[in-house]
Amino acid sequence: MDFGRSERGGGRKRIPSAIKILIAGGFGAGKTTLVGAVSETTPLRTEETLTNRSVGVDDISGVEAKATTTVAMDFGRITIKDQYVLYLFGTPGQERFWFVWDELALGALGAVVLADTRKLADCFPSVDFFERRGTPFVVAVNCFEGARQYALDEVRMALGIAPSIPVILCDARKRDSGKEVLINLVQHAMLTRGKRPRPENVTS
Amino acid sequence: MRSPEEFNEDRWLDEEAGPIVRPYVMTRGRTEPTRGKFDLISLVVATRTPSPVEIGLGPEHLTILRLCDDFLSVAEIAARMDLPAGTIRVLLGDLLDRGFIDVQEPHPETELDDDCFYQAVIDGLRSL
Ligand SMILES: Nc1nc2c(ncn2[C@@H]2O[C@H](COP(=O)(O)OP(=O)(O)OP(=O)(O)O)[C@@H](O)[C@H]2O)c(=O)[nH]1
Ligand SMILES: [Mg+2]
């Protein structure tokens, strides 16, 4: 069909702004499930080759050795009023691939760290990474059945994260729950990075 | 033997089969695009239709242009064509070079500081 194309001659089509959000967490934490639950379509998959530029230096030549790793990522899309398109990337959680996240995190609005309370330690590397990099993130505790019910405060303590970082419960399979997680993240990112005109008369 | 003038940038000739465009390797072994950066979420839209005999465009280039009739991200193009993102970037570089596409790069992280932007995204998510 040439409908769209023939229209293009005159006014150029408006392209929305693209936004990236990362969904991180350990193996089987529910990353792909969350991406699928909130996205318009079933998760797509792409392969990206990433470079670890910091991987040691050749002693003799002094030339920086470059190692590349290919990672497969699941991702999905949410279109917001033809104005924004939000892309959610389920990022691989292996610790030794931390440099992979570095390239992926570039330009991201923020990240959701999915925690599975049965294997809470699995999300430590992601938490460490986003903390160090200064990427705004929230921790979403995925409620698998039969999992030990942790209080959110316990999770927060175990993760050793700042009180300002939101820790919330979620069910990665449910769209509304996933939406709530994303809203929490964007609110948190706004507080962290946003420039807001400060209220003039703050009560002292 | 091929004479030198049978070679040019865009058209490869084969003694027996005659002109062939993009033999074997879609990217001619290139790993980096000649133009453009192409983030995974850069949005691409086709701006003009190639003539049926456009020299130097392979079937993959044409598929990309068809897919990008409406805007699509680099990641989506890669996923839909079942090719690595790196390959898609090279092909997109060719298309950009020849003026077949518009590309909108995402905002750099340092510019993610506008409260109105965040509020619009929050409102948008709420109303989904
Ligand atoms: N009960 C329950 N099961 C879930 C939930 N979220 C995910 N699952 C299941 O847990 C399994 C793993 O979920 P995935 O979404 O594939 O996890 P992942 O993080 O993408 O896994 P990898 O990509 O392999 O690291 C799947 O069988 C899901 O159906 C949840 O909230 N509750
Ligand atoms: Mg997965």
Side-chain angles (χ1 to χ4, degrees), chain A residues 5 8 12 16 18 45 47-48 77 87 107 133 179 187 193-196, chain B residues 41 43 46 49 65 69 76 79 85 89 102 104 109 113 115 125-126 128:
Chain A
R5 199 156 288 205
R8 236 178 252 137
R12 189 164 271 184
R45 172 157 280 237
E47 255 182 33
E48 176 79 306
R77 151 175 163 168
Y87 288 98
R133 197 180 174 285
K179 250 172 65 176
Q187 281 171 334
R193 284 180 171 168
K195 270 194 207 129
R196 121 174 50 195
Chain B
I41 61 163
L43 297 178
T49 315
L65 290 178
D69 190 41
E76 284 167 303
R89 286 191 178 95
D102 264 351
Q104 183 170 283
E109 216 167 308
D113 62 359
D115 272 14
L125 282 169
R126 285 222 170 91
L128 281 180

PDB file of all heavy atoms in Angstrom, chain A residues 5 8 12 16 18 45 47-48 77 87 107 133 179 187 193-196, chain B residues 41 43 46 49 65 69 76 79 85 89 102 104 109 113 115 125-126 128:
ATOM      1  N   ARG A   5       2.986   6.554   1.988  1.00  0.00           N
ATOM      2  CA  ARG A   5       4.120   7.071   1.238  1.00  0.00           C
ATOM      3  C   ARG A   5       3.743   8.283   0.391  1.00  0.00           C
ATOM      4  O   ARG A   5       4.462   9.258   0.304  1.00  0.00           O
ATOM      5  CB  ARG A   5       4.659   5.954   0.346  1.00  0.00           C
ATOM      6  CG  ARG A   5       6.043   6.199  -0.108  1.00  0.00           C
ATOM      7  CD  ARG A   5       6.715   4.908  -0.462  1.00  0.00           C
ATOM      8  NE  ARG A   5       7.018   4.120   0.706  1.00  0.00           N
ATOM      9  CZ  ARG A   5       7.984   3.230   0.731  1.00  0.00           C
ATOM     10  NH1 ARG A   5       8.713   3.009  -0.327  1.00  0.00           N
ATOM     11  NH2 ARG A   5       8.219   2.553   1.819  1.00  0.00           N
ATOM     12  N   ARG A   8       3.593  11.597   1.934  1.00  0.00           N
ATOM     13  CA  ARG A   8       4.797  12.143   2.510  1.00  0.00           C
ATOM     14  C   ARG A   8       5.335  13.372   1.789  1.00  0.00           C
ATOM     15  O   ARG A   8       6.016  14.182   2.370  1.00  0.00           O
ATOM     16  CB  ARG A   8       5.885  11.080   2.559  1.00  0.00           C
ATOM     17  CG  ARG A   8       6.404  10.896   3.948  1.00  0.00           C
ATOM     18  CD  ARG A   8       7.424   9.814   3.957  1.00  0.00           C
ATOM     19  NE  ARG A   8       6.905   8.627   4.594  1.00  0.00           N
ATOM     20  CZ  ARG A   8       7.096   7.409   4.125  1.00  0.00           C
ATOM     21  NH1 ARG A   8       7.742   7.221   3.010  1.00  0.00           N
ATOM     22  NH2 ARG A   8       6.626   6.391   4.776  1.00  0.00           N
ATOM     23  N   ARG A  12       6.071  16.377   6.253  1.00  0.00           N
ATOM     24  CA  ARG A  12       6.838  15.211   6.667  1.00  0.00           C
ATOM     25  C   ARG A  12       6.175  14.590   7.884  1.00  0.00           C
ATOM     26  O   ARG A  12       5.661  15.278   8.749  1.00  0.00           O
ATOM     27  CB  ARG A  12       8.256  15.668   7.006  1.00  0.00           C
ATOM     28  CG  ARG A  12       9.189  14.519   7.227  1.00  0.00           C
ATOM     29  CD  ARG A  12      10.621  15.000   7.166  1.00  0.00           C
ATOM     30  NE  ARG A  12      11.124  14.948   5.806  1.00  0.00           N
ATOM     31  CZ  ARG A  12      12.378  15.250   5.490  1.00  0.00           C
ATOM     32  NH1 ARG A  12      13.211  15.658   6.403  1.00  0.00           N
ATOM     33  NH2 ARG A  12      12.788  15.159   4.247  1.00  0.00           N
ATOM     34  N   PRO A  16       7.931  10.180  16.574  1.00  0.00           N
ATOM     35  CA  PRO A  16       7.914  10.382  18.027  1.00  0.00           C
ATOM     36  C   PRO A  16       9.319  10.264  18.633  1.00  0.00           C
ATOM     37  O   PRO A  16      10.269   9.921  17.943  1.00  0.00           O
ATOM     38  CB  PRO A  16       7.010   9.257  18.524  1.00  0.00           C
ATOM     39  CG  PRO A  16       6.926   8.266  17.437  1.00  0.00           C
ATOM     40  CD  PRO A  16       7.301   8.926  16.152  1.00  0.00           C
ATOM     41  N   ALA A  18      11.914   8.337  20.999  1.00  0.00           N
ATOM     42  CA  ALA A  18      12.083   6.982  21.513  1.00  0.00           C
ATOM     43  C   ALA A  18      12.733   7.026  22.888  1.00  0.00           C
ATOM     44  O   ALA A  18      13.634   7.829  23.142  1.00  0.00           O
ATOM     45  CB  ALA A  18      12.922   6.154  20.557  1.00  0.00           C
ATOM     46  N   ARG A  45      12.990 -10.273  19.509  1.00  0.00           N
ATOM     47  CA  ARG A  45      14.335 -10.633  19.948  1.00  0.00           C
ATOM     48  C   ARG A  45      15.343 -10.047  18.980  1.00  0.00           C
ATOM     49  O   ARG A  45      15.144 -10.086  17.773  1.00  0.00           O
ATOM     50  CB  ARG A  45      14.434 -12.156  19.976  1.00  0.00           C
ATOM     51  CG  ARG A  45      15.812 -12.699  20.231  1.00  0.00           C
ATOM     52  CD  ARG A  45      15.715 -14.093  20.782  1.00  0.00           C
ATOM     53  NE  ARG A  45      15.398 -14.049  22.206  1.00  0.00           N
ATOM     54  CZ  ARG A  45      16.180 -14.621  23.133  1.00  0.00           C
ATOM     55  NH1 ARG A  45      17.271 -15.258  22.787  1.00  0.00           N
ATOM     56  NH2 ARG A  45      15.851 -14.551  24.407  1.00  0.00           N
ATOM     57  N   GLU A  47      19.730  -9.458  18.270  1.00  0.00           N
ATOM     58  CA  GLU A  47      21.090  -9.792  18.651  1.00  0.00           C
ATOM     59  C   GLU A  47      21.973  -8.579  18.480  1.00  0.00           C
ATOM     60  O   GLU A  47      21.978  -7.949  17.439  1.00  0.00           O
ATOM     61  CB  GLU A  47      21.629 -10.921  17.769  1.00  0.00           C
ATOM     62  CG  GLU A  47      21.684 -12.222  18.493  1.00  0.00           C
ATOM     63  CD  GLU A  47      22.263 -13.314  17.635  1.00  0.00           C
ATOM     64  OE1 GLU A  47      23.146 -13.027  16.806  1.00  0.00           O
ATOM     65  OE2 GLU A  47      21.815 -14.444  17.796  1.00  0.00           O
ATOM     66  N   GLU A  48      22.719  -8.294  19.502  1.00  0.00           N
ATOM     67  CA  GLU A  48      23.577  -7.120  19.462  1.00  0.00           C
ATOM     68  C   GLU A  48      24.998  -7.548  19.797  1.00  0.00           C
ATOM     69  O   GLU A  48      25.211  -8.343  20.712  1.00  0.00           O
ATOM     70  CB  GLU A  48      23.068  -6.096  20.482  1.00  0.00           C
ATOM     71  CG  GLU A  48      23.910  -4.867  20.627  1.00  0.00           C
ATOM     72  CD  GLU A  48      23.686  -3.840  19.529  1.00  0.00           C
ATOM     73  OE1 GLU A  48      23.806  -4.219  18.351  1.00  0.00           O
ATOM     74  OE2 GLU A  48      23.399  -2.680  19.854  1.00  0.00           O
ATOM     75  N   ARG A  77       7.539  -2.887  22.970  1.00  0.00           N
ATOM     76  CA  ARG A  77       7.316  -1.463  22.700  1.00  0.00           C
ATOM     77  C   ARG A  77       5.968  -1.023  23.235  1.00  0.00           C
ATOM     78  O   ARG A  77       4.982  -1.760  23.178  1.00  0.00           O
ATOM     79  CB  ARG A  77       7.412  -1.277  21.195  1.00  0.00           C
ATOM     80  CG  ARG A  77       6.610  -0.170  20.610  1.00  0.00           C
ATOM     81  CD  ARG A  77       6.958  -0.086  19.149  1.00  0.00           C
ATOM     82  NE  ARG A  77       5.958   0.683  18.434  1.00  0.00           N
ATOM     83  CZ  ARG A  77       6.127   1.105  17.177  1.00  0.00           C
ATOM     84  NH1 ARG A  77       7.213   0.819  16.521  1.00  0.00           N
ATOM     85  NH2 ARG A  77       5.186   1.799  16.589  1.00  0.00           N
ATOM     86  N   TYR A  87      10.695   1.745  24.625  1.00  0.00           N
ATOM     87  CA  TYR A  87      11.209   0.407  24.338  1.00  0.00           C
ATOM     88  C   TYR A  87      11.744  -0.201  25.619  1.00  0.00           C
ATOM     89  O   TYR A  87      12.533   0.420  26.333  1.00  0.00           O
ATOM     90  CB  TYR A  87      12.313   0.462  23.280  1.00  0.00           C
ATOM     91  CG  TYR A  87      11.771   0.759  21.910  1.00  0.00           C
ATOM     92  CD1 TYR A  87      11.790   2.049  21.390  1.00  0.00           C
ATOM     93  CD2 TYR A  87      11.209  -0.264  21.145  1.00  0.00           C
ATOM     94  CE1 TYR A  87      11.267   2.319  20.128  1.00  0.00           C
ATOM     95  CE2 TYR A  87      10.688  -0.003  19.882  1.00  0.00           C
ATOM     96  CZ  TYR A  87      10.723   1.285  19.380  1.00  0.00           C
ATOM     97  OH  TYR A  87      10.203   1.548  18.143  1.00  0.00           O
ATOM     98  N   GLY A 107      21.977   6.142  27.525  1.00  0.00           N
ATOM     99  CA  GLY A 107      20.773   6.789  27.022  1.00  0.00           C
ATOM    100  C   GLY A 107      19.474   6.284  27.611  1.00  0.00           C
ATOM    101  O   GLY A 107      18.404   6.749  27.240  1.00  0.00           O
ATOM    102  N   ARG A 133      26.671   3.349  38.072  1.00  0.00           N
ATOM    103  CA  ARG A 133      26.557   4.113  36.844  1.00  0.00           C
ATOM    104  C   ARG A 133      25.672   5.349  37.009  1.00  0.00           C
ATOM    105  O   ARG A 133      25.683   6.258  36.191  1.00  0.00           O
ATOM    106  CB  ARG A 133      25.983   3.229  35.759  1.00  0.00           C
ATOM    107  CG  ARG A 133      26.210   3.816  34.396  1.00  0.00           C
ATOM    108  CD  ARG A 133      25.645   2.968  33.300  1.00  0.00           C
ATOM    109  NE  ARG A 133      25.795   3.679  32.050  1.00  0.00           N
ATOM    110  CZ  ARG A 133      25.051   4.693  31.687  1.00  0.00           C
ATOM    111  NH1 ARG A 133      24.063   5.089  32.464  1.00  0.00           N
ATOM    112  NH2 ARG A 133      25.268   5.321  30.548  1.00  0.00           N
ATOM    113  N   LYS A 179       2.656  -2.042  34.546  1.00  0.00           N
ATOM    114  CA  LYS A 179       2.473  -0.611  34.292  1.00  0.00           C
ATOM    115  C   LYS A 179       2.826   0.197  35.531  1.00  0.00           C
ATOM    116  O   LYS A 179       3.492   1.222  35.465  1.00  0.00           O
ATOM    117  CB  LYS A 179       0.995  -0.351  33.945  1.00  0.00           C
ATOM    118  CG  LYS A 179       0.775   0.023  32.502  1.00  0.00           C
ATOM    119  CD  LYS A 179      -0.708   0.080  32.169  1.00  0.00           C
ATOM    120  CE  LYS A 179      -1.476   1.160  32.907  1.00  0.00           C
ATOM    121  NZ  LYS A 179      -2.896   1.222  32.474  1.00  0.00           N
ATOM    122  N   GLN A 187       8.611   8.058  37.713  1.00  0.00           N
ATOM    123  CA  GLN A 187       8.528   9.041  38.802  1.00  0.00           C
ATOM    124  C   GLN A 187       9.865   9.166  39.526  1.00  0.00           C
ATOM    125  O   GLN A 187      10.321  10.274  39.827  1.00  0.00           O
ATOM    126  CB  GLN A 187       7.441   8.626  39.808  1.00  0.00           C
ATOM    127  CG  GLN A 187       6.052   8.973  39.317  1.00  0.00           C
ATOM    128  CD  GLN A 187       4.963   8.380  40.185  1.00  0.00           C
ATOM    129  OE1 GLN A 187       5.160   7.360  40.854  1.00  0.00           O
ATOM    130  NE2 GLN A 187       3.795   9.012  40.175  1.00  0.00           N
ATOM    131  N   ARG A 193      16.580  12.965  38.201  1.00  0.00           N
ATOM    132  CA  ARG A 193      17.233  13.701  37.121  1.00  0.00           C
ATOM    133  C   ARG A 193      16.494  14.955  36.686  1.00  0.00           C
ATOM    134  O   ARG A 193      17.042  15.765  35.951  1.00  0.00           O
ATOM    135  CB  ARG A 193      17.354  12.806  35.893  1.00  0.00           C
ATOM    136  CG  ARG A 193      18.441  11.778  35.991  1.00  0.00           C
ATOM    137  CD  ARG A 193      18.424  10.989  34.711  1.00  0.00           C
ATOM    138  NE  ARG A 193      19.569  10.112  34.601  1.00  0.00           N
ATOM    139  CZ  ARG A 193      19.673   9.158  33.690  1.00  0.00           C
ATOM    140  NH1 ARG A 193      18.697   8.974  32.822  1.00  0.00           N
ATOM    141  NH2 ARG A 193      20.743   8.400  33.630  1.00  0.00           N
ATOM    142  N   GLY A 194      15.236  15.015  37.064  1.00  0.00           N
ATOM    143  CA  GLY A 194      14.414  16.105  36.553  1.00  0.00           C
ATOM    144  C   GLY A 194      14.858  17.456  37.087  1.00  0.00           C
ATOM    145  O   GLY A 194      15.465  17.550  38.150  1.00  0.00           O
ATOM    146  N   LYS A 195      14.566  18.479  36.319  1.00  0.00           N
ATOM    147  CA  LYS A 195      14.816  19.850  36.757  1.00  0.00           C
ATOM    148  C   LYS A 195      13.461  20.468  36.967  1.00  0.00           C
ATOM    149  O   LYS A 195      12.744  20.732  36.022  1.00  0.00           O
ATOM    150  CB  LYS A 195      15.536  20.628  35.651  1.00  0.00           C
ATOM    151  CG  LYS A 195      17.025  20.559  35.707  1.00  0.00           C
ATOM    152  CD  LYS A 195      17.582  21.637  34.785  1.00  0.00           C
ATOM    153  CE  LYS A 195      18.945  21.232  34.276  1.00  0.00           C
ATOM    154  NZ  LYS A 195      19.032  21.350  32.828  1.00  0.00           N
ATOM    155  N   ARG A 196      13.156  20.653  38.193  1.00  0.00           N
ATOM    156  CA  ARG A 196      11.824  21.202  38.409  1.00  0.00           C
ATOM    157  C   ARG A 196      11.985  22.553  39.068  1.00  0.00           C
ATOM    158  O   ARG A 196      12.856  22.736  39.931  1.00  0.00           O
ATOM    159  CB  ARG A 196      11.018  20.219  39.229  1.00  0.00           C
ATOM    160  CG  ARG A 196      10.496  20.745  40.537  1.00  0.00           C
ATOM    161  CD  ARG A 196       9.601  19.795  41.218  1.00  0.00           C
ATOM    162  NE  ARG A 196      10.165  18.457  41.332  1.00  0.00           N
ATOM    163  CZ  ARG A 196       9.430  17.396  41.644  1.00  0.00           C
ATOM    164  NH1 ARG A 196       8.144  17.508  41.809  1.00  0.00           N
ATOM    165  NH2 ARG A 196       9.982  16.217  41.789  1.00  0.00           N
TER     166      ARG A 196
ATOM    167  N   ILE B  41      17.467   2.153  19.526  1.00  0.00           N
ATOM    168  CA  ILE B  41      16.143   2.781  19.508  1.00  0.00           C
ATOM    169  C   ILE B  41      16.083   4.007  18.596  1.00  0.00           C
ATOM    170  O   ILE B  41      15.146   4.793  18.682  1.00  0.00           O
ATOM    171  CB  ILE B  41      15.640   3.141  20.926  1.00  0.00           C
ATOM    172  CG1 ILE B  41      16.578   4.141  21.603  1.00  0.00           C
ATOM    173  CG2 ILE B  41      15.467   1.903  21.783  1.00  0.00           C
ATOM    174  CD1 ILE B  41      15.937   4.834  22.817  1.00  0.00           C
ATOM    175  N   LEU B  43      14.936   5.854  15.524  1.00  0.00           N
ATOM    176  CA  LEU B  43      13.743   5.570  14.718  1.00  0.00           C
ATOM    177  C   LEU B  43      13.997   5.923  13.259  1.00  0.00           C
ATOM    178  O   LEU B  43      14.527   6.982  12.946  1.00  0.00           O
ATOM    179  CB  LEU B  43      12.546   6.343  15.259  1.00  0.00           C
ATOM    180  CG  LEU B  43      12.134   5.977  16.683  1.00  0.00           C
ATOM    181  CD1 LEU B  43      10.967   6.838  17.147  1.00  0.00           C
ATOM    182  CD2 LEU B  43      11.772   4.500  16.792  1.00  0.00           C
ATOM    183  N   ALA B  46      11.200   5.651   6.007  1.00  0.00           N
ATOM    184  CA  ALA B  46      11.549   5.780   4.588  1.00  0.00           C
ATOM    185  C   ALA B  46      11.035   7.107   4.063  1.00  0.00           C
ATOM    186  O   ALA B  46       9.937   7.533   4.410  1.00  0.00           O
ATOM    187  CB  ALA B  46      10.952   4.619   3.797  1.00  0.00           C
ATOM    188  N   THR B  49      10.643   6.376  -2.402  1.00  0.00           N
ATOM    189  CA  THR B  49      10.570   5.031  -2.958  1.00  0.00           C
ATOM    190  C   THR B  49      11.657   4.877  -4.007  1.00  0.00           C
ATOM    191  O   THR B  49      11.784   5.717  -4.883  1.00  0.00           O
ATOM    192  CB  THR B  49       9.190   4.812  -3.607  1.00  0.00           C
ATOM    193  OG1 THR B  49       8.192   5.307  -2.717  1.00  0.00           O
ATOM    194  CG2 THR B  49       8.940   3.349  -3.883  1.00  0.00           C
ATOM    195  N   LEU B  65      13.224  -0.612   3.556  1.00  0.00           N
ATOM    196  CA  LEU B  65      12.413   0.532   3.132  1.00  0.00           C
ATOM    197  C   LEU B  65      10.919   0.206   3.236  1.00  0.00           C
ATOM    198  O   LEU B  65      10.123   1.062   3.627  1.00  0.00           O
ATOM    199  CB  LEU B  65      12.778   0.949   1.706  1.00  0.00           C
ATOM    200  CG  LEU B  65      14.158   1.603   1.563  1.00  0.00           C
ATOM    201  CD1 LEU B  65      14.450   1.940   0.105  1.00  0.00           C
ATOM    202  CD2 LEU B  65      14.257   2.868   2.425  1.00  0.00           C
ATOM    203  N   ASP B  69       8.007   2.077   6.109  1.00  0.00           N
ATOM    204  CA  ASP B  69       6.963   2.937   5.564  1.00  0.00           C
ATOM    205  C   ASP B  69       6.381   3.749   6.724  1.00  0.00           C
ATOM    206  O   ASP B  69       6.101   4.932   6.597  1.00  0.00           O
ATOM    207  CB  ASP B  69       5.896   2.073   4.899  1.00  0.00           C
ATOM    208  CG  ASP B  69       4.934   2.926   4.111  1.00  0.00           C
ATOM    209  OD1 ASP B  69       5.398   3.871   3.450  1.00  0.00           O
ATOM    210  OD2 ASP B  69       3.718   2.661   4.180  1.00  0.00           O
ATOM    211  N   GLU B  76      13.755  -3.114  16.095  1.00  0.00           N
ATOM    212  CA  GLU B  76      12.601  -3.775  15.467  1.00  0.00           C
ATOM    213  C   GLU B  76      12.914  -4.244  14.045  1.00  0.00           C
ATOM    214  O   GLU B  76      12.494  -5.323  13.632  1.00  0.00           O
ATOM    215  CB  GLU B  76      11.401  -2.831  15.445  1.00  0.00           C
ATOM    216  CG  GLU B  76      10.732  -2.709  16.803  1.00  0.00           C
ATOM    217  CD  GLU B  76       9.750  -1.556  16.863  1.00  0.00           C
ATOM    218  OE1 GLU B  76      10.168  -0.406  16.600  1.00  0.00           O
ATOM    219  OE2 GLU B  76       8.576  -1.804  17.160  1.00  0.00           O
ATOM    220  N   ALA B  79      14.927  -7.361  14.385  1.00  0.00           N
ATOM    221  CA  ALA B  79      14.121  -8.495  14.824  1.00  0.00           C
ATOM    222  C   ALA B  79      13.221  -8.989  13.688  1.00  0.00           C
ATOM    223  O   ALA B  79      13.118 -10.188  13.443  1.00  0.00           O
ATOM    224  CB  ALA B  79      13.274  -8.107  16.033  1.00  0.00           C
ATOM    225  N   ALA B  85      21.724  -6.776  14.751  1.00  0.00           N
ATOM    226  CA  ALA B  85      21.603  -5.319  14.691  1.00  0.00           C
ATOM    227  C   ALA B  85      22.776  -4.690  13.934  1.00  0.00           C
ATOM    228  O   ALA B  85      22.605  -3.705  13.214  1.00  0.00           O
ATOM    229  CB  ALA B  85      21.501  -4.751  16.107  1.00  0.00           C
ATOM    230  N   ARG B  89      22.616  -1.989  10.819  1.00  0.00           N
ATOM    231  CA  ARG B  89      23.235  -0.665  10.860  1.00  0.00           C
ATOM    232  C   ARG B  89      23.984  -0.349   9.565  1.00  0.00           C
ATOM    233  O   ARG B  89      23.916   0.755   9.064  1.00  0.00           O
ATOM    234  CB  ARG B  89      24.216  -0.577  12.029  1.00  0.00           C
ATOM    235  CG  ARG B  89      23.535  -0.465  13.351  1.00  0.00           C
ATOM    236  CD  ARG B  89      24.533  -0.101  14.462  1.00  0.00           C
ATOM    237  NE  ARG B  89      23.815   0.028  15.707  1.00  0.00           N
ATOM    238  CZ  ARG B  89      23.689  -0.953  16.595  1.00  0.00           C
ATOM    239  NH1 ARG B  89      24.260  -2.109  16.391  1.00  0.00           N
ATOM    240  NH2 ARG B  89      22.986  -0.765  17.688  1.00  0.00           N
ATOM    241  N   ASP B 102      14.986   8.870   6.800  1.00  0.00           N
ATOM    242  CA  ASP B 102      15.226   9.842   7.863  1.00  0.00           C
ATOM    243  C   ASP B 102      15.489   9.048   9.126  1.00  0.00           C
ATOM    244  O   ASP B 102      14.833   8.030   9.357  1.00  0.00           O
ATOM    245  CB  ASP B 102      13.965  10.683   8.103  1.00  0.00           C
ATOM    246  CG  ASP B 102      14.018  11.988   7.346  1.00  0.00           C
ATOM    247  OD1 ASP B 102      15.082  12.308   6.790  1.00  0.00           O
ATOM    248  OD2 ASP B 102      12.982  12.681   7.310  1.00  0.00           O
ATOM    249  N   GLN B 104      15.861   9.396  13.356  1.00  0.00           N
ATOM    250  CA  GLN B 104      15.818  10.231  14.553  1.00  0.00           C
ATOM    251  C   GLN B 104      16.518   9.530  15.693  1.00  0.00           C
ATOM    252  O   GLN B 104      16.047   8.524  16.218  1.00  0.00           O
ATOM    253  CB  GLN B 104      14.387  10.553  14.924  1.00  0.00           C
ATOM    254  CG  GLN B 104      14.341  11.474  16.131  1.00  0.00           C
ATOM    255  CD  GLN B 104      12.958  11.998  16.371  1.00  0.00           C
ATOM    256  OE1 GLN B 104      12.499  12.896  15.689  1.00  0.00           O
ATOM    257  NE2 GLN B 104      12.294  11.397  17.327  1.00  0.00           N
ATOM    258  N   GLU B 109      21.354  10.991  27.211  1.00  0.00           N
ATOM    259  CA  GLU B 109      20.984  10.850  28.616  1.00  0.00           C
ATOM    260  C   GLU B 109      21.013  12.182  29.364  1.00  0.00           C
ATOM    261  O   GLU B 109      20.185  12.461  30.216  1.00  0.00           O
ATOM    262  CB  GLU B 109      21.982   9.896  29.268  1.00  0.00           C
ATOM    263  CG  GLU B 109      21.405   9.001  30.313  1.00  0.00           C
ATOM    264  CD  GLU B 109      22.400   7.905  30.655  1.00  0.00           C
ATOM    265  OE1 GLU B 109      22.897   7.209  29.752  1.00  0.00           O
ATOM    266  OE2 GLU B 109      22.689   7.780  31.832  1.00  0.00           O
ATOM    267  N   ASP B 113      16.209  15.630  31.405  1.00  0.00           N
ATOM    268  CA  ASP B 113      16.114  16.388  32.642  1.00  0.00           C
ATOM    269  C   ASP B 113      14.874  17.274  32.697  1.00  0.00           C
ATOM    270  O   ASP B 113      14.719  18.079  33.592  1.00  0.00           O
ATOM    271  CB  ASP B 113      17.384  17.242  32.827  1.00  0.00           C
ATOM    272  CG  ASP B 113      17.543  18.255  31.707  1.00  0.00           C
ATOM    273  OD1 ASP B 113      16.690  18.285  30.803  1.00  0.00           O
ATOM    274  OD2 ASP B 113      18.521  19.019  31.751  1.00  0.00           O
ATOM    275  N   ASP B 115      11.188  17.944  33.413  1.00  0.00           N
ATOM    276  CA  ASP B 115      10.074  17.385  34.168  1.00  0.00           C
ATOM    277  C   ASP B 115       8.820  17.186  33.323  1.00  0.00           C
ATOM    278  O   ASP B 115       8.055  16.261  33.559  1.00  0.00           O
ATOM    279  CB  ASP B 115       9.751  18.283  35.369  1.00  0.00           C
ATOM    280  CG  ASP B 115      10.579  17.888  36.577  1.00  0.00           C
ATOM    281  OD1 ASP B 115      11.555  17.138  36.390  1.00  0.00           O
ATOM    282  OD2 ASP B 115      10.248  18.319  37.687  1.00  0.00           O
ATOM    283  N   LEU B 125       1.448   6.528  30.418  1.00  0.00           N
ATOM    284  CA  LEU B 125       1.401   5.154  30.951  1.00  0.00           C
ATOM    285  C   LEU B 125       0.101   4.934  31.734  1.00  0.00           C
ATOM    286  O   LEU B 125      -0.536   3.891  31.621  1.00  0.00           O
ATOM    287  CB  LEU B 125       2.608   4.905  31.862  1.00  0.00           C
ATOM    288  CG  LEU B 125       3.943   4.624  31.178  1.00  0.00           C
ATOM    289  CD1 LEU B 125       5.087   4.653  32.180  1.00  0.00           C
ATOM    290  CD2 LEU B 125       3.912   3.275  30.448  1.00  0.00           C
ATOM    291  N   ARG B 126      -0.279   5.927  32.513  1.00  0.00           N
ATOM    292  CA  ARG B 126      -1.512   5.800  33.304  1.00  0.00           C
ATOM    293  C   ARG B 126      -2.718   5.590  32.406  1.00  0.00           C
ATOM    294  O   ARG B 126      -3.641   4.860  32.750  1.00  0.00           O
ATOM    295  CB  ARG B 126      -1.740   7.077  34.130  1.00  0.00           C
ATOM    296  CG  ARG B 126      -0.837   7.183  35.328  1.00  0.00           C
ATOM    297  CD  ARG B 126      -1.605   7.688  36.555  1.00  0.00           C
ATOM    298  NE  ARG B 126      -0.771   7.545  37.737  1.00  0.00           N
ATOM    299  CZ  ARG B 126       0.045   8.505  38.181  1.00  0.00           C
ATOM    300  NH1 ARG B 126       0.112   9.664  37.550  1.00  0.00           N
ATOM    301  NH2 ARG B 126       0.794   8.295  39.245  1.00  0.00           N
ATOM    302  N   LEU B 128      -2.957   4.210  29.545  1.00  0.00           N
ATOM    303  CA  LEU B 128      -2.911   3.064  28.618  1.00  0.00           C
ATOM    304  C   LEU B 128      -4.072   2.091  28.881  1.00  0.00           C
ATOM    305  O   LEU B 128      -4.408   1.837  30.015  1.00  0.00           O
ATOM    306  CB  LEU B 128      -1.590   2.309  28.753  1.00  0.00           C
ATOM    307  CG  LEU B 128      -0.359   2.901  28.054  1.00  0.00           C
ATOM    308  CD1 LEU B 128       0.843   2.009  28.298  1.00  0.00           C
ATOM    309  CD2 LEU B 128      -0.588   3.083  26.565  1.00  0.00           C
TER     310      LEU B 128
END
